[in-house]
Amino acid sequence: MAGHENHHHHFSLCFCDLMRLLWSLVMPCVVLTLLLTLVLLLVVLGLRLWLQGRRKTRRAQGGDPALAFFHPYCNAGGGGERVLWCSLRVLMNRYPNVSFVVYTGDKEVTGEQILEGARQRFSITLPRPVTFVVLHHRELVEASSYPHFTLLGQSLGSMFLGWEALTAFVPDLYVDSMGYAFTLPIFRYLGGCRVASYVHYPTVSTDMLSVVRERNPRFNNADFISRNPVLSAVKVLYYCCFALLYGLAGSCSDVIMVNSTWTLGHILALWRSPSRTSIVYPPCDVRAFLDVPLEDEDEDEVEEGWEELGRELGSDKDVGGGDRKCHSIVSVGQFRPEKDHQLQIRAFRKLLDRKGEGAGGRESLRLVLIGGCRNQEDEERVLMLRGLCQELGVSDLVDFKLNIPFEELKRELVSATIGLHTMWNEHFGIGVVECMAAGTIVLAHKSGGPKLDIVVPHEGRQTGFLADSEDSYAAAMETILALSPSARLEIRLAARESVGRFSDQEFEACFMAAMESPMRKLVR
């Protein structure tokens, strides 16, 4: 009995010694954590006061309230840049007493050259000057800088680039127009700015999570990861943690604008701010296509109309390609992996197999792949696609047209029978809208913006077709080609009438409605 009591006493002493040791270790850690937290709060408060002081000094010197757009690639010629310039134009016309700034990483060109490029590409001229603040470390947000953990690297890089922008100029209202959500808390909590965002594409989406979770190999999920359950589980965890941080950063925005119903669903799921979120469709320049005559293909006068249009576009030959029984299938999109040009070529081969030889067979069809090559990687991808055409025996019926001018693009679209689009979960699809405006019958991927917003019935009439596999694409193309000219005309007319939803005027009205609250606070 005495031995048992001694053993218990010895155990109690050991336990007390262990607790004292742990306490002696934990207390310094707790104190150090509190001190570091306090120091961090003081640093953040000091930076905030310093930055707000700079803004107050600017305003005290007679400066107007300032709105700044964060658009490091503003000299590019894509749909995102058209959103930027249309936004600036309508804001400048509406608020003459507000000054406007654009943060750009385009160091090799002047502000005048950037504005001239916007005028030439988009026919947009700003009513008054805009100030460009040049960012010198744009490489921090380029994917090529992060071969691994690209999403995380680009997001952290955007925070450093955002800090460079904020220290260069402190605005009253900040608008992220390129999707760099991690800059929003920088401007809101350090700069004390009101913030707004226009989201073209969520940095991470629930669809990306499902692709990894289901171990589905795609362009954004490498084969060696999809084949390995451990690596797939690690990537799912990485995406989930990143999605949480992305949602916290995005929820800082006072106004959230998204470009489509598909993007809206993902942003609501991740940012969880429904009362501040609205759809603002991007402005699509469809005016250039609306002069194309949409007539029944069988009517004789149509040939004259096509010839006249060809002369207007600078072509000596018939825009319709001579024999209207020869059908071209046109795809417009950069040669990026997510555009899935391989699917287009394979589906075209299956269509040729269905059509067979003879009159109205394979010799009456052509696939025209139009797109831009951004770099050497894109050019190598085109070579691979040419090799695939050779392998499938269709190289004589497939044309590649790279970096062509707009007028040639217009000629190809107005003479095409089918406009082909195969990107899975395209966030919007400006190219699809342009095809519809040009009078081309659209065959788009059954997902994303084309499915939810664009290729939808207009006043009860069909505006196009959707597909999601090689077989369904081939079948849909065969169906379109088998339609009578009058049936095709009815679809083309309905599609053209429907694209008015994506005009500059509609964009400006919706954009101003979304921005009314922060702009009212800015100018009061």
Side-chain angles (χ1 to χ4, degrees):
M1 186 70 179
H4 177 72
E5 291 178 355
N6 288 335
H7 178 73
H8 181 72
H9 179 67
H10 178 70
F11 175 78
S12 299
L13 290 175
C14 289
F15 180 75
C16 291
D17 290 341
L18 179 61
M19 292 302 294
R20 280 194 292 270
L21 176 62
L22 291 175
W23 184 255
S24 65
L25 293 174
V26 169
M27 276 305 294
C29 291
V30 172
V31 172
L32 182 60
T33 301
L34 291 174
L35 286 175
L36 289 175
T37 302
L38 180 61
V39 169
L40 180 61
L41 288 174
L42 290 175
V43 169
V44 170
L45 180 60
L47 290 173
R48 180 183 172 95
L49 291 173
W50 172 61
L51 292 167
Q52 288 185 330
R54 294 183 61 182
R55 180 170 59 238
K56 290 178 181 177
T57 299
R58 171 177 59 80
R59 295 294 299 274
Q61 292 174 348
D64 293 326
L67 185 154
F69 282 87
F70 188 76
H71 209 104
Y73 295 88
C74 71
N75 197 42
E81 287 66 57
R82 197 165 204 284
V83 168
L84 169 68
W85 302 120
C86 284
S87 301
L88 280 167
R89 181 176 60 187
V90 66
L91 287 169
M92 284 183 174
N93 286 326
R94 181 77 172 268
Y95 298 100
N97 296 322
V98 174
S99 59
F100 294 90
V101 171
V102 174
Y103 299 114
T104 176
D106 296 298
K107 297 178 288 187
E108 67 283 356
V109 293
T110 65
E112 290 76 11
Q113 289 172 323
I114 292 174
L115 293 175
E116 177 60 21
R119 187 190 66 79
Q120 291 182 355
R121 295 187 188 102
F122 308 120
S123 299
I124 294 176
T125 302
L126 299 184
R128 52 197 174 90
V130 60
T131 301
F132 290 95
V133 174
V134 178
L135 307 177
H136 298 279
H137 299 93
R138 188 173 69 180
E139 67 277 1
L140 291 173
V141 298
E142 293 179 355
S144 59
S145 301
Y146 310 98
H148 305 291
F149 298 98
T150 307
L151 293 180
L152 181 61
Q154 286 183 288
S155 298
L156 292 175
S158 72
M159 296 178 73
F160 285 102
L161 195 64
W163 173 250
E164 180 187 353
L166 182 58
T167 54
F169 183 86
V170 186
D172 299 281
L173 174 59
Y174 168 79
V175 181
D176 165 39
S177 52
M178 276 202 72
Y180 294 111
F182 285 86
T183 64
L184 299 173
I186 300 291
F187 278 82
R188 177 164 185 168
Y189 296 118
L190 291 181
C193 311
R194 293 185 179 88
V195 295
S197 54
Y198 188 96
V199 184
H200 298 273
Y201 195 87
T203 304
V204 64
S205 68
T206 53
D207 288 329
M208 293 166 65
L209 287 170
S210 66
V211 165
V212 180
R213 205 176 274 124
E214 296 167 5
R215 297 170 60 187
N216 185 358
R218 284 186 179 269
F219 72 92
N220 58 355
N221 192 37
D223 288 346
F224 77 91
I225 292 179
S226 63
R227 289 195 299 263
N228 190 310
V230 176
L231 291 178
S232 292
V234 171
K235 189 168 183 179
V236 167
L237 179 62
Y238 163 57
Y239 271 11
C240 287
C241 293
F242 183 85
L244 176 62
L245 294 175
Y246 178 64
L248 291 173
S251 63
C252 296
S253 189
D254 298 302
V255 173
I256 304 166
M257 294 168 280
V258 298
N259 69 338
S260 69
T261 303
W262 181 85
T263 306
L264 175 69
H266 289 286
I267 291 301
L268 289 180
L270 295 168
W271 293 16
R272 300 184 183 277
S273 303
S275 62
R276 289 174 274 150
T277 307
S278 59
I279 297 177
V280 179
Y281 291 126
C284 304
D285 187 12
V286 298
R287 295 171 301 172
F289 301 101
L290 296 182
D291 59 344
V292 178
L294 294 187
E295 303 290 346
D296 193 315
E297 299 168 30
D298 281 346
E299 296 179 3
D300 294 337
E301 60 266 24
V302 174
E303 295 300 326
E304 298 177 4
W306 286 107
E307 291 171 2
E308 181 180 351
L309 178 62
R311 289 192 294 270
E312 291 176 358
L313 296 176
S315 174
D316 294 331
K317 61 182 180 179
D318 179 15
V319 173
D323 181 8
R324 294 296 293 160
K325 293 180 181 179
C326 182
H327 299 283
S328 66
I329 301 165
V330 174
S331 163
V332 180
Q334 286 184 325
F335 287 98
R336 307 200 309 260
E338 62 268 28
K339 295 299 184 180
D340 207 351
H341 290 89
Q342 290 191 47
L343 174 58
Q344 298 176 4
I345 296 170
R346 294 184 186 279
F348 181 64
R349 167 58 193 268
K350 291 198 171 186
L351 172 66
L352 296 178
D353 291 341
R354 288 168 176 261
K355 298 288 285 184
E357 303 292 340
R362 60 177 287 143
E363 296 305 320
S364 68
L365 301 174
R366 296 203 70 82
L367 175 62
V368 183
L369 302 181
I370 301 173
C373 283
R374 303 163 298 174
N375 47 41
Q376 181 65 29
E377 185 179 351
D378 287 354
E379 292 174 3
E380 292 173 358
R381 190 171 295 111
V382 171
L383 289 176
M384 183 272 293
L385 292 172
R386 290 183 186 274
L388 178 62
C389 293
Q390 193 77 31
E391 176 187 334
L392 296 178
V394 297
S395 56
D396 58 324
L397 299 176
V398 179
D399 297 327
F400 288 82
K401 302 203 171 185
L402 313 180
N403 302 316
I404 63 175
F406 177 77
E407 290 304 318
E408 186 176 353
L409 168 65
K410 183 177 178 180
R411 285 196 295 272
E412 291 291 346
L413 284 181
V414 300
S415 64
T417 302
I418 299 173
L420 196 58
H421 166 275
T422 50
M423 179 177 171
W424 173 71
N425 274 343
E426 173 85 83
H427 48 99
F428 180 69
I430 290 178
V432 177
V433 174
E434 290 177 341
C435 284
M436 294 168 72
T440 303
I441 294 185
V442 164
L443 173 55
H445 199 283
K446 194 176 181 180
S447 65
K451 175 186 177 182
L452 298 174
D453 293 309
I454 303 175
V455 190
V456 296
H458 176 68
E459 297 179 352
R461 295 182 293 164
Q462 185 177 3
T463 58
F465 295 78
L466 298 170
D468 57 6
S469 66
E470 292 177 22
D471 289 328
S472 60
Y473 269 100
M477 285 189 282
E478 187 177 29
T479 298
I480 295 169
L481 296 173
L483 291 174
S484 66
S486 59
R488 282 201 292 264
L489 177 62
E490 185 63 27
I491 296 174
R492 295 161 63 205
L493 288 170
R496 170 173 282 191
E497 291 171 12
S498 73
V499 299
R501 299 169 292 147
F502 312 119
S503 66
D504 288 4
Q505 294 74 22
E506 285 293 320
F507 167 80
E508 291 177 357
C510 294
F511 181 82
M512 290 309 303
M515 291 291 290
E516 181 181 3
S517 176
M519 292 303 298
R520 187 170 59 246
K521 295 174 182 176
L522 182 66
V523 298
R524 68 183 179 186

